[in-house]
Amino acid sequence: MTAVAVDVALLAIDAGRLTVLLVEPEPPALAGTWSLPGRRVRDDESLDATALRALGELAGIERPTVLLEQLRTYGEPTRDPRARVVSVAYLALAGSPLHPSPAPRAVVADAAEVLTWPAERFAYDHAAIVADAIERVRSRLEYTALATALLPAPFTLGELRRVHEAVWGGPLDPANFRRKVLATPGFVVPADGPAVAGPAGGRPARRYVPGGATRLHPAMLRDR
Amino acid sequence: MTAVAVDVALLAIDAGRLTVLLVEPEPPALAGTWSLPGRRVRDDESLDATALRALGELAGIERPTVLLEQLRTYGEPTRDPRARVVSVAYLALAGSPLHPSPAPRAVVADAAEVLTWPAERFAYDHAAIVADAIERVRSRLEYTALATALLPAPFTLGELRRVHEAVWGGPLDPANFRRKVLATPGFVVPADGPAVAGPAGGRPARRYVPGGATRLHPAMLRDR
DNA sequence: CGTGTTATGGTCACTCTGACCAGAACAGGA
DNA sequence: TCCTGTTCTGGTCAGAGTGACCATAACACG
């Protein structure tokens, strides 16, 4: 009989970098590899609920996430050599840096670095899941106002730009980024309150709050 | 124990319209509703293989499809009142009009019309799956050269345009469509051979064959 | 030989974009 | 105080892409 599991790739922005949460696999045979938190689906439990339970039980993360959506389902008969397990992969995004409980060993890794790891460093096919998750976030940033939810409000346009730079992995022109953000209706709205300079000095920047829009028109396309 | 199934939305272009394949559900309690062809996943079978088997066993369709990709997985505990079934939904596209075997009752329905049906006319949550499938095809047509695979080669730009019109559900400007297609590298290449007029007469049109590109740059965005 | 139909080629104004420049407004050190 | 480094903010400019639209070409048919 084939079993159903849910694996979750939880990403966050931390110190200007995109990070991913990894845990040690439970089977002793897989020691030395990393995996995503995952749990079997209970009979009376929705897939979303299983995803949240996996984050809580395996990493001690109980906070609601900014985004929780399905990635795709991995069902190759040989993906788990011990038994037939069909896994529904989820993407989760946290609105602030992660602090997993150290009890069940969990770590926060740099996403760009993890992408360079060989697949053998992961348990099962979790290398593919991680890659899919990162690509999905990169795509979501183009068409949605997701970046504003990954920052504590209010924020400056420089902080918002550094979120995009962290996810997309390259520098963006500050002036052009500003023009596009302000030209997109509902992306951000100015917050009252004083302008404030960043940790590196510079001219103090005006602060903004999320503008209520979810889909961006026009989109913020990254270079390809 | 929760079971795993695959449901397939098979779409095709037929006489200038987008169509979807529907079958009668097997449980007698669901008589009077329509469903997508679906099968339980066997222990040694990949999800893709299950999707193809469902099309063969329930509609007699054995031809390889132009596209076969996962949509998403539907796993609400109550989606099947008889048992817990997690269903991996697939989108399949055929390169020519469908001719299902009539033995297990299968029909080809107009996709635009099916979208207006109330959800009760479908078994399970298949109304949502059909809607997701149609939206996926509409999106694929924007970013990929998929339309060239839905036509027998060689084809005219008018025929290619009518594929886009059928999927997107609205008229397109022939001159602008032509300009965009020809400006996109690798979308189509001219075929040698004579120009030919369509069934309604008019100036004979040059014929083209698929150009090898899969992703389109720039994209062919529909209006929203 | 006109009429209807479709294909093809072109114009025009408008939007969006990347590359780039320059000044504004701060912090901190000389 | 003055200079330097930094970031923010506003602007220009050329080029690509687009929708709306027009005109002509090339057939079939009555």
Side-chain angles (χ1 to χ4, degrees):
Chain A
M1 192 59 178
T2 102
V4 183
V6 169
D7 291 310
V8 189
L10 174 59
L11 309 185
I13 300 290
D14 192 343
R17 293 183 169 274
L18 183 67
T19 64
V20 57
L21 174 75
L22 299 176
V23 300
E24 289 189 345
E26 289 181 299
L30 295 174
T33 64
W34 289 103
S35 72
L36 300 171
R39 280 299 194 210
R40 297 283 174 97
V41 178
R42 292 179 179 160
D43 276 353
D44 59 343
E45 187 182 48
S46 72
L47 302 175
D48 290 24
T50 308
L52 294 176
R53 182 165 61 85
L55 290 178
E57 291 181 4
L58 291 172
I61 291 179
E62 306 285 353
R63 262 173 310 126
T65 57
V66 166
L67 178 78
L68 182 72
E69 69 175 27
Q70 257 188 48
L71 275 174
R72 54 162 292 183
T73 296
Y74 296 77
E76 283 306 305
T78 60
R79 61 179 294 276
D80 187 334
R82 298 168 302 160
R84 178 72 193 268
V85 179
V86 169
S87 170
V88 182
Y90 268 75
L91 162 66
L93 277 176
S96 52
L98 301 174
H99 300 291
S101 69
R105 290 271 288 278
V107 297
V108 173
D110 184 279
E113 186 192 329
V114 163
L115 276 183
T116 68
W117 290 2
E120 300 79 39
R121 205 150 160 191
F122 292 91
Y124 318 110
D125 50 9
H126 286 194
I129 299 180
V130 169
D132 285 354
I134 293 171
E135 177 53 34
R136 178 74 66 95
V137 179
R138 287 174 172 168
S139 175
R140 280 281 174 278
L141 230 52
E142 295 187 302
Y143 300 102
T144 71
L146 186 60
T148 62
L150 298 178
L151 283 173
F155 47 82
T156 71
L157 294 188
E159 291 165 344
L160 186 65
R161 175 171 48 83
R162 279 182 279 273
V163 170
H164 282 256
E165 289 174 338
V167 174
W168 289 341
L172 298 172
D173 184 280
N176 290 340
F177 181 84
R178 169 193 179 76
R179 180 181 57 188
K180 292 178 72 170
V181 169
L182 296 183
T184 302
F187 199 172
V188 299
V189 296
D192 36 40
V196 63
R203 173 176 171 173
R206 182 147 195 192
R207 304 167 95 170
Y208 296 83
V209 296
T214 54
R215 306 191 78 82
L216 298 184
H217 294 281
M220 301 265 307
L221 300 181
R222 59 189 148 142
D223 294 342
R224 300 201 188 256
Chain B
M1 192 58 178
T2 100
V4 183
V6 169
D7 292 309
V8 189
L10 174 59
L11 308 185
I13 300 290
D14 192 343
R17 292 183 169 275
L18 183 66
T19 63
V20 56
L21 174 75
L22 300 177
V23 299
E24 289 189 347
E26 289 180 299
L30 295 174
T33 64
W34 289 103
S35 73
L36 299 171
R39 280 299 193 210
R40 295 284 173 97
V41 178
R42 292 179 178 158
D43 276 354
D44 58 345
E45 186 181 48
S46 73
L47 301 176
D48 290 24
T50 308
L52 294 177
R53 181 167 60 84
L55 290 179
E57 293 181 2
L58 291 172
I61 291 179
E62 306 287 351
R63 261 173 311 128
T65 57
V66 166
L67 178 78
L68 183 72
E69 70 176 27
Q70 255 187 50
L71 275 174
R72 52 162 293 181
T73 296
Y74 296 78
E76 282 306 305
T78 59
R79 62 178 292 278
D80 186 335
R82 298 168 304 160
R84 178 71 192 269
V85 179
V86 169
S87 169
V88 183
Y90 267 76
L91 163 66
L93 277 175
S96 53
L98 301 174
H99 300 291
S101 70
R105 290 272 288 279
V107 296
V108 174
D110 184 280
E113 184 191 329
V114 162
L115 276 183
T116 68
W117 290 2
E120 301 79 38
R121 205 151 161 190
F122 291 92
Y124 319 112
D125 49 9
H126 286 194
I129 298 179
V130 170
D132 285 355
I134 294 172
E135 177 52 34
R136 179 73 66 94
V137 179
R138 287 175 172 168
S139 175
R140 281 282 175 275
L141 230 52
E142 293 187 303
Y143 300 103
T144 71
L146 185 60
T148 62
L150 297 179
L151 282 174
F155 48 81
T156 70
L157 294 187
E159 292 164 346
L160 186 66
R161 174 171 48 85
R162 278 181 280 273
V163 170
H164 279 79
E165 290 174 338
V167 174
W168 288 341
L172 298 172
D173 183 281
N176 290 340
F177 181 83
R178 169 191 178 80
R179 180 181 57 189
K180 292 178 74 169
V181 168
L182 296 182
T184 303
F187 198 170
V188 299
V189 297
D192 36 40
V196 63
R203 172 176 173 173
R206 182 148 195 191
R207 302 167 95 171
Y208 296 83
V209 296
T214 53
R215 308 191 76 83
L216 300 183
H217 294 283
M220 301 265 306
L221 299 181
R222 60 187 147 143
D223 294 341
R224 299 198 190 261

